[in-house]
Amino acid sequence: MENINLTLLNDALPKSRNRFCNFVNPGPIPEDLAYVPGFVEDLVNWTLYQSHSPNRTLAFAGALAMLAHLSGRTFSDASGTRTNLYVIALAPSGSGKESPRSMNNLLAKSLGISRSIIDNVASGEALEDELVKMPSLLLQSDEIAMLFGQMRGQGRISKALSGRLRTLFTSSGHDYTLRKKANSTGQTPIISNPHLTLFGTGVPEELLDDLTPQEIRNGLFGRCLFLSAQDENLRRSPFAFEEPPQNMLEAAKYLAKLEYGGKKPEPDLWIVEEDDDARELKKKSMAFFGKTRSALAETDLKNAHAIVARIDEKVSKLALLYAISFNPFSPKITVDAVEWAVRFAAYVVKWMLYEAQFHVAEGKFGKLMERTKAIISKRGGSIDRRDLIRTLRCDETTLKRLIKALLIAEEIEQPSLIGGKVFYTLSK
């Protein structure tokens, strides 16, 4: 328990009450965080073996989502936490985003539960209709930016889909009341413990560049686990098809039987206990995260506060999934499970804070300001005028407005002249 650093978010805390706060880039996900022993690691390796473009981060995201799906409506911790996750993996085109979805589909087919995975949903009503048929669903979206864009619309259908995704996430341990039309077949007017898991993939810019403050603050963004995958530039022909590893297949069959075997409207609930060290570590981490939220609440950083708000919930879900992956036949939440969950959740939240500061702003000009900051940051914190205007593809008038606004906001230092070139540098 001494090994964990409970100041994981200290470098992400604001140093002032100013809403323009530079959050730290946590970098690529560390290898030890993209690792959960047992079922998850077996599925990761199976996916990588069969992939044209093997990418561990993407494979890990898909495996975590698949375990969350298979363990749905069956397991809970003592606080009532369920295993449903909204996992979104972002990576450049051609990085291997298709393989994890394909292997999840293949595994579901071998288990006889293909109907529990869907790849598209047109509306909140359609999502309800699918859950009536199958109360535990895995929604795999290969164009997550399009799904968010669909919810960004102004019509009733758009708002209904966003609202239902938020409500279903928090209804996994409760009864969910259906709209009247979904109940027209004579079925019960509720779904007991609906379990929706989302696994979405996409290109970072396509999703992040269009995010709005409203999407951050309405809670959907904070419910998601975002993972950024680098293009590992591994291109090859996949190896000859290999059957699923025996240990993984046995675990998957067992989990699927718990949920789908009896076909009961209300499955038996398995309460996964924590050992004493795990309970103590979780208590300490929750206290620290509470202080983090309080610190953010005293600033004007409303987006950041919304992102950090659900970190406790992320820790509980992840620790539970770690325990199930390690031993699905007799899971127990250990200190190892909680330590990994705290570190993983903190990493994800720090990445979300870092990206949100560049991509989420009020109005078109605000977004252009954030994009300008992102460009300068990716150039090492300083850029010459010619490079900036060429990258932004804007005219001189717009550039002058941007520089003036960034200077007023103290986001950049006064321009400097070096070697006959004007340079703009981010404030320290």
Side-chain angles (χ1 to χ4, degrees):
M1 190 158 55
E2 292 81 8
N3 295 329
I4 191 164
N5 176 13
L6 285 179
T7 60
L8 288 163
L9 284 176
N10 271 355
D11 57 358
L13 287 174
K15 303 300 186 292
S16 71
R17 298 174 63 87
N18 194 306
R19 71 184 181 89
F20 297 101
C21 179
N22 292 321
F23 292 106
V24 177
N25 183 356
I29 183 170
E31 288 186 10
D32 64 322
L33 288 188
Y35 171 81
V36 171
F39 175 88
V40 169
E41 181 64 9
D42 287 342
L43 182 50
V44 166
N45 289 329
W46 188 48
T47 300
L48 294 175
Y49 189 83
Q50 307 292 156
S51 177
H52 285 279
S53 301
N55 186 300
R56 181 169 184 86
T57 303
L58 291 172
F60 177 76
L64 196 62
M66 189 63 180
L67 178 62
H69 172 54
L70 287 175
S71 54
R73 303 177 79 235
T74 300
F75 296 95
S76 169
D77 66 11
S79 300
T81 303
R82 301 303 179 103
T83 63
N84 58 314
L85 292 178
Y86 289 173
V87 184
I88 297 179
L90 303 175
S93 298
S95 301
K97 293 187 284 291
E98 176 61 30
S99 292
R101 293 193 304 273
S102 296
M103 301 312 288
N104 285 350
N105 283 328
L106 196 58
L107 179 57
K109 183 178 180 181
S110 70
L111 299 173
I113 58 170
S114 293
R115 289 179 59 248
S116 71
I117 298 182
I118 58 177
D119 59 11
N120 189 27
V121 62
S123 64
E125 289 84 353
L127 185 57
E128 274 192 358
D129 293 340
E130 293 292 340
L131 283 164
V132 167
K133 304 172 192 173
M134 191 72 67
S136 185
L137 280 179
L138 172 58
L139 170 59
Q140 297 196 130
S141 173
D142 63 342
E143 296 290 348
I144 192 63
M146 291 182 64
L147 182 63
F148 269 76
Q150 182 180 341
M151 292 185 287
R152 201 171 290 126
Q154 298 301 314
R156 179 189 62 81
I157 292 178
S158 299
K159 293 180 180 178
L161 178 56
S162 176
R164 280 179 174 82
L165 283 173
R166 296 195 303 271
T167 303
L168 285 166
F169 187 86
T170 53
S171 298
S172 56
H174 310 285
D175 288 342
Y176 177 84
T177 304
L178 295 164
R179 73 192 195 286
K180 292 183 179 180
K181 186 176 180 181
N183 187 36
S184 61
T185 58
Q187 298 189 27
T188 56
I190 62 167
I191 302 175
S192 178
N193 306 325
H195 192 93
L196 175 67
T197 297
L198 170 64
F199 174 43
T201 58
V203 177
E205 295 78 10
E206 292 180 358
L207 173 66
L208 298 174
D209 283 351
D210 289 329
L211 281 175
T212 66
Q214 290 73 27
E215 286 173 307
I216 298 289
R217 298 171 198 169
N218 71 15
L220 183 57
F221 190 83
R223 285 168 169 81
C224 297
L225 279 173
F226 284 86
L227 286 177
S228 177
Q230 308 299 312
D231 187 349
E232 298 181 3
N233 295 313
L234 297 175
R235 306 289 188 269
R236 60 168 171 77
S237 297
F239 297 107
F241 177 76
E242 184 178 87
E243 293 295 330
Q246 190 60 31
N247 288 345
M248 185 190 82
L249 191 58
E250 288 178 2
K253 287 180 178 178
Y254 178 73
L255 292 171
K257 185 177 180 181
L258 290 177
E259 164 59 16
Y260 300 98
K263 296 182 180 179
K264 295 177 292 183
E266 296 187 21
D268 294 331
L269 187 62
W270 186 332
I271 306 297
V272 180
E273 300 295 335
E274 302 170 336
D275 64 28
D276 292 340
D277 285 344
R279 192 176 302 109
E280 182 64 20
L281 179 55
K282 185 184 282 188
K283 180 179 177 182
K284 288 182 178 180
S285 66
M286 298 308 178
F288 174 75
F289 293 142
K291 292 179 180 178
T292 302
R293 284 192 299 272
S294 296
L296 288 170
E298 295 176 359
T299 72
D300 293 327
L301 301 169
K302 294 183 174 61
N303 293 339
H305 186 268
I307 290 171
V308 175
R310 289 182 171 270
I311 192 169
D312 309 60
E313 183 180 48
K314 288 180 171 68
V315 169
S316 295
K317 286 179 178 290
L318 291 166
L320 179 57
L321 284 165
Y322 187 107
I324 297 168
S325 177
F326 184 74
N327 185 356
F329 307 102
S330 183
K332 187 169 186 177
I333 299 173
T334 63
V335 69
D336 287 342
V338 176
E339 179 177 344
W340 171 80
V342 170
R343 293 175 60 233
F344 186 84
Y347 169 83
V348 169
V349 166
K350 286 164 73 173
W351 184 88
M352 292 165 69
L353 288 169
Y354 174 74
E355 291 293 336
Q357 73 181 340
F358 293 122
H359 294 280
V360 182
E362 302 282 358
K364 291 183 179 180
F365 188 74
K367 285 185 175 294
L368 193 56
M369 285 178 63
E370 301 304 327
R371 183 165 172 245
T372 303
K373 287 167 51 184
I375 290 170
I376 301 174
S377 177
K378 290 174 182 177
R379 294 292 199 281
S382 185
I383 190 172
D384 71 78
R385 180 185 181 87
R386 183 178 178 183
D387 189 9
L388 178 59
I389 200 168
R390 184 173 60 244
T391 307
L392 279 173
R393 297 180 181 177
C394 67
D395 55 41
E396 289 284 347
T397 302
T398 301
L399 183 63
K400 288 179 181 179
R401 287 184 61 210
L402 282 169
I403 298 305
K404 181 178 179 180
L406 290 169
L407 284 168
I408 292 173
E410 299 180 351
E411 292 287 342
I412 62 173
E413 299 175 357
Q414 287 292 334
S416 57
L417 187 64
I418 304 174
K421 295 182 179 180
V422 176
F423 278 81
Y424 305 113
T425 302
L426 290 178
S427 298
K428 296 179 180 179

